[in-house]
Amino acid sequence: MTLAIRDIMARWSMEPYDEDAGTGFVRHAVVRVGHESGEVLVTVVTNGDEFPASKAFCRELAKRVPEITTIVQNVNTRQTNVILGEKERVLYGPGFILDRLCGLSFRISSQSFYQVNASQTEVLYDEAVRLAGLTGTETVIDAYCGTGTIGLVAASRGAARVIGVDAVEAAIHDARGNARHNGIENAEFVAADATQFMEELAASGKRPRPLVLLMDPPRAGSTPAFLAAACALAPERIVYISCNPATQARDVRQLTESGYVVRAIRPVDMFPHTDHVESIVMLEKKSVSAPAAKAERRGDGGRFDRASSAATETAPWAVSQSEDCPSESECPAAPAEGELQQKEVR
């Protein structure tokens, strides 16, 4: 597919972008493929609004690669190494693709965060929702929710209510569409800064009870202000998903210093043949009753996972160190407020 794009670029004299000089037209070509549907979305990132011969480009590309169902032009004229700009237009097809995950159907657009390894994503989300210990009474806040994937899975598997929050309006638009498409009525999605949302909810005195927080921030991790707001809301459980155990360990340390205890740690191999993993950490408030704590550590068939619980509660690196973060002095600093960027497309 990338070879076809390269050949068509040469045929129509579409110059590749030179980042140092700031010249050229095509900056990137981003390809997204539906794991089950096989639908393909191509996003052509350009250094300018005008796209000469765009119809001919799309016609030839779709002819060469019949799996392509939609092509989008994204405009990025900034002097930056950030891939996507804010302005875009649909050149061919509906502007999104559909795929199935955890028994649900999801709409994926060019700026929507969606895990690349769909098979392991199901493993990741299944385990995260299991650790959340949903009993049918909890309100779940899905922070950094993207297109609402994990929040909608939680809504379909025991959450009484789900509130998804993300600063990217395009992602929230997709999340709302995904909820409608799947007939899920107990989930709502808010386009807002996650920290500000948490702070305002904590200040309102209208904290839902019982409350579970799901959070899946970018590689930079969360921020001290968000974590402080989360602790002010005092959810009974926090399920923290991360693609960067180093920043996760840094953030978990702040949560444990604010009255939470690590109950489970689950690495998931999302990136085979690399040294990277996704990591799930489940934390509980220290005041949570024993029956509630027991619910989080149940295995299949109600078996109590005592060995796992003991291992995680006594592992010091769980809250202060990781292989990528050997000491507190070397651990990455938390991003400042306002600097937390949208999840990168992986």
Side-chain angles (χ1 to χ4, degrees):
M1 189 175 307
T2 53
L3 293 178
I5 294 172
R6 184 195 65 182
D7 292 345
I8 298 171
M9 286 174 57
R11 178 175 178 181
W12 293 99
S13 301
M14 298 164 60
E15 293 293 326
Y17 181 71
D18 184 324
E19 188 169 319
D20 294 329
T23 59
F25 181 63
V26 179
R27 297 179 67 133
H28 303 279
V30 182
V31 178
R32 314 190 79 171
V33 182
H35 176 68
E36 286 197 14
S37 68
E39 296 182 5
V40 177
L41 163 65
V42 176
T43 303
V44 182
V45 185
T46 63
N47 184 34
D49 292 323
E50 297 298 322
F51 195 150
S54 62
K55 291 183 179 180
F57 173 87
C58 294
R59 183 167 55 248
E60 185 168 350
L61 183 58
K63 182 178 180 181
R64 291 197 186 195
V65 188
E67 294 83 3
I68 293 175
T69 55
T70 194
I71 302 172
V72 173
Q73 176 195 8
N74 180 278
V75 180
N76 186 357
T77 58
R78 295 175 295 170
Q79 296 292 323
T80 176
N81 58 3
V82 175
I83 293 176
L84 297 177
E86 296 181 359
K87 183 179 180 180
E88 61 183 35
R89 64 188 178 111
V90 177
L91 302 178
Y92 171 80
F96 59 88
I97 59 176
L98 295 174
D99 198 26
R100 292 194 65 80
L101 185 70
C102 296
L104 302 176
S105 179
F106 290 99
R107 168 175 166 165
I108 308 159
S109 62
S110 63
Q111 300 206 35
S112 301
F113 175 76
Y114 192 73
Q115 296 278 7
V116 170
N117 189 340
S119 297
Q120 284 297 88
T121 298
E122 292 197 341
V123 174
L124 180 77
Y125 289 176
D126 285 346
E127 182 65 7
V129 172
R130 187 187 76 83
L131 289 173
L134 302 177
T135 64
T137 62
E138 293 85 0
T139 293
V140 173
I141 294 178
D142 179 11
Y144 314 102
C145 69
T147 58
T149 48
I150 191 169
L152 291 173
V153 173
S156 68
R157 297 188 184 180
R161 179 190 182 198
V162 170
I163 306 171
V165 185
D166 200 289
V168 181
E169 292 189 6
I172 292 297
H173 179 267
D174 283 350
R176 291 168 177 163
N178 287 331
R180 289 192 298 271
H181 183 67
N182 288 282
I184 294 176
E185 299 180 351
N186 59 328
E188 60 187 280
F189 296 92
V190 180
D193 176 79
T195 300
Q196 183 178 352
F197 175 86
M198 299 286 281
E199 290 174 339
E200 291 178 354
L201 183 59
S204 71
K206 298 179 181 179
R207 172 193 181 277
R209 297 178 184 275
L211 178 63
V212 173
L213 171 63
L214 297 176
M215 53 184 293
D216 186 4
R219 286 188 63 81
S222 192
T223 63
F226 175 91
L227 298 171
C231 292
L233 272 176
E236 279 73 16
R237 291 176 293 285
I238 299 174
V239 179
Y240 186 154
I241 303 171
S242 174
C243 60
N244 187 347
T247 55
Q248 184 185 49
R250 178 201 67 208
D251 294 344
V252 167
R253 183 186 304 116
Q254 180 176 341
L255 293 171
T256 59
E257 291 172 351
S258 300
Y260 282 84
V261 60
V262 173
R263 295 296 189 191
I265 301 171
R266 299 287 188 271
V268 178
D269 187 9
M270 293 285 292
F271 315 104
H273 310 295
T274 76
D275 58 356
H276 298 286
V277 296
E278 291 264 349
S279 172
I280 310 170
V281 175
M282 191 275 281
L283 305 98
E284 285 180 331
K285 279 185 64 63
K286 290 181 180 179
S287 59
V288 170
S289 65
K294 182 175 179 179
E296 311 315 325
R297 301 193 293 272
R298 287 188 184 276
D300 292 339
R303 179 179 56 82
F304 186 60
D305 191 0
R306 296 182 186 277
S308 172
S309 173
T312 56
E313 289 181 3
T314 59
W317 63 269
V319 296
S320 63
Q321 297 179 354
S322 76
E323 185 174 343
D324 296 328
C325 177
S327 68
E328 183 171 357
S329 62
E330 297 177 32
C331 205
E337 289 305 303
E339 293 182 0
L340 195 59
Q341 296 183 350
Q342 169 190 0
K343 288 189 180 74
E344 64 271 30
V345 177
R346 296 200 291 269

